[in-house]
Amino acid sequence: EVQLVESGGGLVQPGGSLRLSCAASGFTFSSHAMSWVRQAPGKGLEWVSFISGSGDSTYYADSVKGRFIISRDNSKNTLYLQMNSLRAEDTAVFYCAEAWGPSDYWGQGTLVTVSS
Amino acid sequence: EIVLTQSPGTLSLSPGERATLSCRASQSVSSSYLGWYQQKPGQAPRLLIYGASSRATGIPDRFSGNGSGTDFTLTISRLEPEDFALYYCQQYDSSPYSFGRGTKLEIK
């Protein structure tokens, strides 16, 4: 059974940092490009970042470029999102996902709240 | 940056009716890299269509996707009660891999 389990969310002050993790199981993790997608409360989906299966290629939304870093450890089947200089507008549920088709895998989401 | 515009914002229909949702891109998107997702309250999104017209694993054949270039459509041929949800399109042709703002499909 395929599973993606996120962790690392929580409450952080503006300007602070958090690192999200996404532990993958049930599929060949290193063969799959992955993304982080977020959803602010009551809002739509926002793509955040992409990483290729090898980790050689990474892309970011303009809203997080220079503040967030996506990475992966294929030996541990884990995806990461290092989030720095957090702002109130980063408050959202963050999902890790592999949704390119024909199958799609999503985590349950982890809530990040940026507030003083 | 490719901006995706979904219309209508809200679609009110009855079970059994046909739903047509639109996704228009600000510049051409390769059909290979256009997806449609369904999201219900409190749940993660679910992929319905990838490559503009291919149904994802386990998706009923009442869902179909079409289009090319800048105009894409998701059609639900006969609405079931469980189809009333939010629908998003996404392009992953060029970074940033933008989503549309979504169409809410509600029961009339």
Side-chain angles (χ1 to χ4, degrees):
Chain A
E1 180 195 2
V2 170
Q3 275 199 312
L4 294 175
V5 179
E6 297 109 339
S7 60
L11 175 65
V12 62
Q13 291 188 336
S17 299
L18 276 179
R19 187 176 84 156
L20 305 183
S21 299
C22 172
S25 60
F27 66 105
T28 308
F29 180 68
S30 60
S31 298
H32 292 254
M34 300 291 295
S35 271
W36 288 97
V37 174
R38 69 183 179 182
Q39 188 166 37
K43 303 297 184 182
L45 301 175
E46 181 186 13
W47 173 80
V48 173
S49 187
F50 163 96
I51 188 167
S52 62
S54 64
D56 289 347
S57 295
T58 58
Y59 305 122
Y60 298 92
D62 290 345
S63 58
V64 307
K65 199 174 295 181
R67 300 188 299 124
F68 290 11
I69 300 172
I70 191 171
S71 63
R72 64 192 299 159
D73 185 337
N74 287 340
S75 69
K76 295 182 178 179
N77 289 345
T78 303
L79 175 71
Y80 301 101
L81 187 67
Q82 177 67 43
M83 304 186 295
N84 302 320
S85 303
L86 283 161
R87 306 166 180 167
E89 55 265 34
D90 294 317
T91 294
V93 172
F94 283 73
Y95 296 101
C96 61
E98 195 279 40
W100 319 113
S103 295
D104 63 322
Y105 314 134
W106 294 80
Q108 81 285 0
T110 187
L111 176 63
V112 172
T113 303
V114 184
S115 175
S116 54
Chain B
E1 175 180 347
I2 297 175
V3 176
L4 299 180
T5 302
Q6 290 189 242
S7 60
T10 302
L11 185 57
S12 300
L13 293 169
S14 300
E17 290 193 292
R18 179 184 187 91
T20 303
L21 287 66
S22 172
C23 176
R24 179 163 291 177
S26 60
Q27 55 188 279
S28 185
V29 173
S30 167
S31 296
S32 299
Y33 304 115
L34 191 289
W36 287 93
Y37 303 82
Q38 178 193 69
Q39 189 179 32
K40 297 180 179 179
Q43 296 184 15
R46 178 173 73 147
L47 178 68
L48 299 174
I49 300 290
Y50 67 98
S53 61
S54 298
R55 270 187 300 278
T57 303
I59 301 303
D61 61 7
R62 65 180 181 273
F63 291 90
S64 63
N66 213 334
S68 63
T70 60
D71 289 295
F72 298 90
T73 301
L74 173 70
T75 300
I76 311 171
S77 58
R78 283 181 58 86
L79 286 166
E80 297 286 342
E82 62 267 28
D83 298 337
F84 292 91
L86 277 162
Y87 292 84
Y88 297 92
C89 59
Q90 185 198 18
Q91 66 82 20
Y92 37 99
D93 186 10
S94 68
S95 180
Y97 294 165
S98 43
F99 283 94
R101 290 192 156 193
T103 290
K104 181 181 181 181
L105 179 55
E106 65 176 24
I107 299 177
K108 188 174 182 179

